[in-house]
Amino acid sequence: MKPEHGFSEVMSLSSGLGVIRGAALTFCGDPFLIGAAAAMRYESDALVVMEAGKIKAFGAYADIKKTLPANTKITTYADALILPGFIDLHVHYPQTQIIGAYGKQLIDWLNRYTFVAEQQFADIDHAREVSQFFLDECLRVGTTTAMVYGTVHSHATDVFFEAAAERNMRMIAGKVMMDRNAPAALCDTAQSGYDDSKALIEKWHGQRRLGYAITPRFAPTSSPAQLEAAGALWREFPDVHMQTHIAENTDEVAWVSQLFPNHQGYLDVYDHYGLVNKRAVFGHGIHLTHAEWQCLHEAGAGVAHCPTSNEFLGSGLFRFDNAKNKSRPVRVGLGTDIGAGTCLSPLRTMGEAYKIGELCGNSLCAADAYFLATRGAAEALHLDDKIGSIGVGMEADLVVLNLKSTPLVEFRMKFCNSIEEVLAVQMTMADDRATRAVYVAGKLAYGN
């Protein structure tokens, strides 16, 4: 697992390149479909060369070193693993302050905790403070991209984008659209939700590394008029994203049936209003029907699996055999879904996804889990040409994991005989303490 030693390569950075050395792993395909061995590219001693925010070269040290200028500085990471930056496919930044709120399932939890906390974001200074904290925490756990829910307040998304732009992070976010079945202080209207979202799109989408997501919270909190407005907005700006929730809880599914009795199920509500398409990501999807999975496959839409949230709220168990059925696979990535989710760590989220797979009889190998947190999530966003992999021309977002982050992990690593075992140990035993360094667009953003 270690690169070679016995050399000195700390020299002046005359070339303008950023170069790091260590063991590295990326994915060239979906292990659910082609198997782990075919999907993984592992280099036990690699060089990653970064320039102008992108990866200029990647490969075995022996091959890449001879192509570099003589005075190139190389930062070496021993006992470490270089990975693509993690991608969090579903997270509510305003709920950072209510992680671990005790004792309720979805609808009660929203009313008792979420809606109370989100009203505080009427204060722009509060929104700015939480945005800054949330993004710093993302970097601390190795997350370089996230698909993020704001609140109904337009300024809460505005200041989030400001904070993301300061860090040059590739972030996707949206103002929540919600015009019913919520406190009056958190309700917009069909028209104001459209107007505010459009203004944010025009200001932020495509600026630096930022993307906008049209964000109806979920069908029960948007009237038919608001869902129609959301669909119209997406037709007007077809290159933006769309995010919402679906089939998280059985009571929620029944509520949608009551509110929309003329539709053929939960997904059909969104489909009717033009919200099922590429660059749509649906949170949870625990209780989807086979027909709904087929529809998602045909549309090229994505699903965010949020294991710690699903466990914490008792929502149910995500079925990978449905989601990744080889006859009609759906694009799937991992989401932390804080604050119902219990941590921002992608490693801990992978570990919980593994446990859910075991409970469902769908064993999730380590390659599957890391794929979901990197390239799989990028595919769900239709950004896999930019992020989620280590390769020439990709954006240089990387995380370096310390493979000996605690005494117990270090001891356990002595008995690992393959990269697959190493990955499994890290995702079941490690946490944010394993983040040694994070690179954002080729620049060191966390660690050393």
Side-chain angles (χ1 to χ4, degrees):
M1 296 305 301
K2 300 179 183 179
E4 298 172 2
H5 294 287
F7 51 84
S8 176
E9 294 174 306
V10 181
M11 303 174 228
S12 63
L13 190 58
S14 60
S15 66
L17 301 176
V19 186
I20 61 175
R21 181 184 184 185
L25 174 72
T26 190
F27 290 89
C28 52
D30 186 339
F32 288 95
L33 305 181
I34 65 175
M40 292 195 305
R41 179 183 176 186
Y42 173 64
E43 296 282 354
S44 61
D45 185 8
L47 281 182
V48 183
V49 182
M50 300 170 284
E51 185 176 42
K54 293 188 177 182
I55 295 172
K56 183 177 181 180
F58 168 59
Y61 171 82
D63 296 331
I64 304 299
K65 173 63 169 66
K66 58 191 176 186
T67 70
L68 299 177
N71 293 328
T72 302
K73 174 186 175 181
I74 299 176
T75 300
T76 299
Y77 294 104
D79 297 320
L81 181 65
I82 303 166
L83 292 160
F86 293 129
I87 301 169
D88 190 338
L89 199 55
H90 182 104
V91 61
H92 299 256
Y93 99 80
Q95 295 178 23
T96 306
Q97 66 198 66
I98 57 169
I99 297 173
Y102 170 76
K104 294 288 182 178
Q105 292 200 342
L106 176 63
I107 304 303
D108 287 337
W109 190 85
L110 285 172
N111 289 322
R112 182 173 176 180
Y113 300 116
T114 301
F115 292 157
V116 173
E118 291 190 3
Q119 289 181 62
Q120 297 177 36
F121 286 75
D123 180 348
I124 192 171
D125 291 332
H126 181 73
R128 183 174 287 111
E129 177 187 2
V130 179
S131 294
Q132 300 278 355
F133 178 82
F134 170 83
L135 288 166
D136 287 346
E137 285 296 292
C138 283
L139 292 173
R140 195 168 66 83
V141 299
T143 296
T144 53
T145 292
M147 196 172 202
V148 182
Y149 287 68
T151 65
V152 73
H153 313 96
S154 182
H155 63 250
T157 299
D158 196 51
V159 297
F160 177 85
F161 278 133
E162 288 177 358
E166 289 171 2
R167 292 161 176 78
N168 199 27
M169 297 174 76
R170 180 167 283 284
M171 284 282 152
I172 301 161
K175 180 205 101 72
V176 166
M177 303 171 74
M178 185 163 60
D179 68 346
R180 65 173 178 173
N181 293 323
L186 288 178
C187 284
D188 54 11
T189 67
Q191 187 63 53
S192 69
Y194 171 91
D195 292 341
D196 290 346
S197 299
K198 181 176 179 178
L200 287 164
I201 291 170
E202 292 175 336
K203 181 176 181 179
W204 289 110
H205 184 70
Q207 297 300 311
R208 294 183 67 95
R209 305 179 69 211
L210 304 173
Y212 194 83
I214 298 167
T215 308
R217 184 180 216 110
F218 69 148
T221 52
S222 285
S223 66
Q226 184 164 77
L227 293 174
E228 179 64 45
L233 186 62
W234 206 7
R235 289 190 294 274
E236 188 175 350
F237 297 95
D239 63 330
V240 305
H241 301 264
M242 195 287 302
Q243 62 180 347
T244 191
H245 298 75
I246 193 167
E248 179 179 358
N249 173 285
T250 53
D251 289 343
E252 168 211 7
V253 174
W255 191 19
V256 171
S257 296
Q258 295 169 4
L259 292 170
F260 298 91
N262 297 322
H263 292 274
Q264 301 299 311
Y266 203 153
L267 186 66
D268 185 56
V269 175
Y270 294 128
D271 199 20
H272 176 79
Y273 294 104
L275 298 173
V276 181
N277 209 329
K278 292 180 180 179
R279 290 184 296 280
V281 174
F282 296 90
H284 303 289
I286 300 170
H287 305 289
L288 292 169
T289 67
H290 290 290
E292 289 172 325
W293 283 115
Q294 179 69 37
C295 180
L296 291 168
H297 164 75
E298 293 173 0
V303 170
H305 171 38
C306 307
T308 70
S309 171
N310 299 160
E311 293 168 324
F312 189 74
L313 295 180
S315 299
L317 303 177
F318 186 82
R319 299 292 308 225
F320 284 101
D321 53 346
N322 286 335
K324 303 302 287 188
N325 184 312
K326 289 185 178 180
S327 68
R328 46 116 186 95
V330 173
R331 297 163 184 257
V332 177
L334 290 182
T336 61
D337 193 31
I338 65 163
T342 52
C343 69
L344 282 167
S345 168
L347 290 173
R348 288 182 58 189
T349 303
M350 287 183 233
E352 295 308 301
Y354 167 81
K355 295 173 187 175
I356 286 178
E358 289 297 299
L359 287 170
C360 292
N362 304 141
S363 185
L364 196 70
C365 74
D368 295 334
Y370 283 80
F371 171 79
L372 293 172
T374 56
R375 179 172 174 147
E379 290 180 354
L381 293 168
H382 290 267
L383 289 174
D384 48 301
D385 61 331
K386 294 180 174 63
I387 57 173
S389 302
I390 306 175
V392 175
M394 300 294 287
E395 295 176 2
D397 292 345
L398 303 167
V399 58
V400 182
L401 296 183
N402 173 7
L403 299 180
K404 298 180 177 180
S405 57
T406 70
L408 181 58
V409 171
E410 181 175 4
F411 178 81
R412 180 64 179 85
M413 284 288 295
K414 295 178 182 179
F415 304 96
C416 291
N417 298 310
S418 68
I419 182 59
E420 290 81 7
E421 285 188 77
V422 168
L423 295 174
V425 166
Q426 296 300 317
M427 79 178 194
T428 54
M429 297 178 64
D431 53 29
D432 56 274
R433 290 170 289 182
T435 308
R436 178 160 177 192
V438 179
Y439 289 83
V440 171
K443 301 295 184 182
L444 184 66
Y446 177 86
N448 54 55

